[in-house]
Amino acid sequence: MDQEFNGKVVWIVGASGAIGAEIAQSLNAAGAVTVISGRSHEKLQALASKLGSGHHGDDTVPLDVASATQVNAAARGVAARHGRIDALVNSTSLSLFGDFLALDDGVWNDVLEVKLMGYIRSCRAVIPYMIEQGAGNIVNISGRSARQPISIHLPGGCANAAVNLLSKGLADQYYENNLRVNVVAPGPIESDRFARIQSTHEQTTKRADARPVLSRRMGLPSDVAQAVLWLLSDRSRHLTGTVMPVDGGSTVCL
Ligand SMILES: NC(=O)c1ccc[n+]([C@@H]2O[C@H](COP(=O)([O-])OP(=O)(O)OC[C@H]3O[C@@H](n4cnc5c(N)ncnc54)[C@H](OP(=O)(O)O)[C@@H]3O)[C@@H](O)[C@H]2O)c1
């Protein structure tokens, strides 16, 4: 797989998270030009220091996906520096969990703003460049909770379900433009985020042994990254509009 992405320009939004960082490092190792975004400049700098020659200082782009202005400016900057945007990976989220009756409008708005509207904004920002260049590839990370609800994670689950639908809609709409849009839907992945889901669930249900959903085994960020790389590669060229679970087979439905 080495250098499979040689020179491809890939923008990863949410790159400083557990999964986004693994995706960025894997793409970088495979020869991509990686552009990394998230809110915290410090976290992005820490990631940038681990990336190799495919990453340059200008390609560390802090932004808040709640701002369409910032997202559009970032996409313009990538296109201006590199002349193209071959691929986009969306991997942002807010770790806000709790009992349904305890989550007010503010929490719902914040989660939907980052996970759903953030994905919408970045897709809307890159698609015109992809149409212009005659090809493009988008992978959106949703989650198993889109189809298998977790009681303390309903805002994120609703956002994930909407991301699945959004992605299928975009895949259909831009098929003729040679754009592919797919989703990777992880199950539990070893990460701070999953540890927070777990502890909120235990506090809310008062059951120390309660796991939100049974898993055969925990996945690793690298399990998700490998699926993303495959979807971004030409090896999956006949796939678009799909939702790929990366969950150890633990989603209890088709
Ligand atoms: N971890 C799991 O078990 C699991 C399971 C299923 C699905 N997923 C999904 O996989 C994706 C990645 O998860 P993860 O575990 O890597 O999450 P994470 O470690 O919490 O990372 C979240 C990323 O989103 C960024 N972010 C948050 N708010 C932002 C905003 N307003 N503007 C720009 N960036 C923002 C964060 O940057 P800052 O820290 O700088 O804000 C960070 O880079 C998410 O979509 C998540 O829902 C994860």
Side-chain angles (χ1 to χ4, degrees), residues 79-216:
R81 282 195 299 286
H82 299 291
R84 55 192 301 108
I85 306 174
D86 293 298
L88 165 72
V89 179
N90 276 310
S91 187
T92 54
S93 66
L94 278 187
S95 292
L96 297 175
F97 314 110
D99 180 78
F100 175 69
L101 295 179
L103 298 181
D104 62 14
D105 283 7
V107 172
W108 278 86
N109 284 333
D110 287 349
V111 170
L112 294 172
E113 183 68 40
V114 168
K115 181 87 192 232
L116 177 58
M117 291 309 300
Y119 282 31
I120 289 171
R121 292 186 184 109
S122 55
C123 288
R124 202 169 51 199
V126 300
I127 285 173
Y129 296 104
M130 292 176 169
I131 291 173
E132 173 99 22
Q133 69 207 18
N137 198 326
I138 297 174
V139 175
N140 290 323
I141 310 295
S142 70
R144 188 181 59 183
S145 60
R147 294 194 295 161
Q148 188 163 304
I150 301 172
S151 61
I152 51 118
H153 182 34
L154 290 178
C158 289
N160 284 335
V163 164
N164 289 357
L165 185 81
L166 169 76
S167 305
K168 176 64 176 160
L170 295 179
D172 290 349
Q173 185 167 350
Y174 296 106
Y175 175 80
E176 298 289 346
N177 302 97
N178 202 23
L179 266 65
R180 293 200 288 129
V181 185
N182 289 291
V183 171
V184 170
I189 299 296
E190 275 187 26
S191 59
D192 289 349
R193 178 179 165 79
F194 189 74
R196 262 175 266 160
I197 295 186
Q198 190 78 332
S199 82
T200 308
H201 194 262
E202 287 171 6
Q203 285 161 23
T204 308
T205 62
K206 308 290 184 221
R207 283 183 312 201
D209 63 340
R211 296 179 69 89
V213 183
L214 288 177
S215 171
R216 295 174 189 193

Side-chain angles (χ1 to χ4, degrees), residues 16-80:
S16 49
I19 291 172
E22 191 71 35
I23 294 168
Q25 290 180 88
S26 302
L27 281 166
N28 200 80
V33 174
T34 47
V35 181
I36 55 173
S37 288
R39 269 180 314 189
S40 156
H41 187 65
E42 291 70 32
K43 287 188 199 172
L44 291 173
Q45 285 298 332
L47 172 61
S49 68
K50 296 182 191 160
L51 298 176
S53 56
H55 184 81
H56 305 283
D58 284 353
D59 291 329
T60 297
V61 185
L63 55 77
D64 187 338
V65 295
S67 162
T69 307
Q70 290 183 30
V71 173
N72 289 337
R76 263 199 313 277
V78 179

